[in-house]
Amino acid sequence: DVKVTQSSRYLVKRTGEKVFLECVQDMDHENMFWYRQDPGLGLRLIYFSYDVKMKEKGDIPEGYSVSREKKERFSLILESASTNQTSMYLCASSPSSGGRSYEQYFGPGTRLTVT
Amino acid sequence: QKEVEQDPGPLSVPEGAIVSLNCTYSNSAFQYFMWYRQYSRKGPELLMYTYSSGNKEDGRFTAQVDKSSKYISLFIRDSQPSDSATYLCATGANSKLTFGKGITLSVRP
């Protein structure tokens, strides 16, 4: 079974702090994704990585950066956390081959609260 | 117009009912149409998907795509309380998915 793990289930940070969210997958997937999920807004893509050290902006990249130094690990960084970044953050991975690239497997999510 | 629109719900049905969940999409280039299920406090899990038009059946679940009307449907037969969850439709292009906002389904025993 594909397993995607995220470093924390719940996180509370103060405004202005630098925040790191870590994601690890164990299925040798090429593609990895970071989303945030908010009530009434659904799942929105923040960043996408299709290979080590490769990244692409999603729909809402402002205020975020990412790092992918190893294939299995994809980190989301909030350079200076703000209250409007309070959200559920979800990591996903998928293979890169054809139609299977749309078979995204999600982690359990990190609920981040910025106070 | 949003790329993927989904009925907001919530939806409550009695056990055993047939459930129909629907989405519309705007980009005719989409070829992959996904359904994810998300239980409370969990990440979404892939339920099933179709490529291009047509139907796909998996047990009590049927996914249907009508590309002429840009309509995506998920049917659940003999619904069970364990089907209570949020259902997300999504369409795929360039290895990325665009999700609907999700609809919360409650199946009453």
Side-chain angles (χ1 to χ4, degrees):
Chain A
D1 274 357
V2 176
K3 194 164 184 184
V4 179
T5 57
Q6 296 183 227
S7 49
S8 306
R9 291 301 307 272
Y10 300 94
L11 209 51
V12 179
K13 295 292 182 181
R14 292 192 183 276
T15 302
E17 278 194 84
K18 191 169 186 175
V19 181
F20 293 86
L21 302 182
E22 303 283 332
C23 175
V24 178
Q25 51 95 3
D26 67 357
M27 281 302 291
D28 203 35
H29 285 168
E30 289 79 14
N31 297 334
M32 295 189 76
F33 308 82
W34 274 108
Y35 295 89
R36 61 178 285 176
Q37 186 174 34
D38 301 286
L41 296 176
L43 270 169
R44 293 179 291 167
L45 181 64
I46 304 171
Y47 266 98
F48 162 47
S49 170
Y50 49 91
D51 203 348
V52 175
K53 297 190 187 295
M54 306 303 285
K55 62 186 179 185
E56 190 175 305
K57 291 180 180 178
D59 300 318
I60 50 163
E62 296 79 19
Y64 303 96
S65 62
V66 291
S67 170
R68 193 165 179 202
E69 297 295 321
K70 293 186 178 181
K71 190 176 185 180
E72 67 272 17
R73 189 179 297 269
F74 192 33
S75 301
L76 180 70
I77 303 151
L78 287 66
E79 295 290 342
S80 177
S82 64
T83 54
N84 63 12
Q85 292 178 310
T86 291
S87 186
M88 170 69 85
Y89 289 88
L90 288 156
C91 175
S93 71
S94 75
S96 63
S97 51
R100 293 208 62 218
S101 66
Y102 299 103
E103 295 179 20
Q104 293 188 16
Y105 295 86
F106 283 82
T110 295
R111 183 162 296 280
L112 172 68
T113 302
V114 183
T115 62
Chain B
Q1 182 186 7
K2 299 272 187 207
E3 286 203 289
V4 181
E5 301 261 21
Q6 185 169 8
D7 294 340
L11 184 61
S12 180
V13 301
E15 184 174 354
I18 295 174
V19 177
S20 171
L21 306 176
N22 305 295
C23 294
T24 57
Y25 64 95
S26 58
N27 189 341
S28 57
F30 290 136
Q31 295 280 21
Y32 288 87
F33 305 93
M34 327 294 283
W35 283 97
Y36 282 80
R37 177 175 62 194
Q38 186 175 20
Y39 290 113
S40 182
R41 289 185 288 277
K42 302 273 191 183
E45 58 177 333
L46 180 61
L47 197 55
M48 58 195 306
Y49 70 93
T50 55
Y51 171 72
S52 195
S53 276
N55 291 1
K56 186 171 184 179
E57 192 172 317
D58 184 1
R60 296 184 294 109
F61 298 85
T62 300
Q64 194 173 78
V65 177
D66 182 345
K67 292 195 80 178
S68 61
S69 57
K70 298 191 180 69
Y71 208 74
I72 314 164
S73 299
L74 179 71
F75 299 97
I76 307 173
R77 290 184 299 282
D78 187 26
S79 55
Q80 302 294 308
S82 58
D83 296 328
S84 298
T86 297
Y87 290 81
L88 303 153
C89 62
T91 57
N94 301 316
S95 296
K96 292 180 284 186
L97 293 176
T98 301
F99 286 86
K101 292 181 181 178
I103 183 169
T104 298
L105 170 67
S106 176
V107 181
R108 308 186 302 272

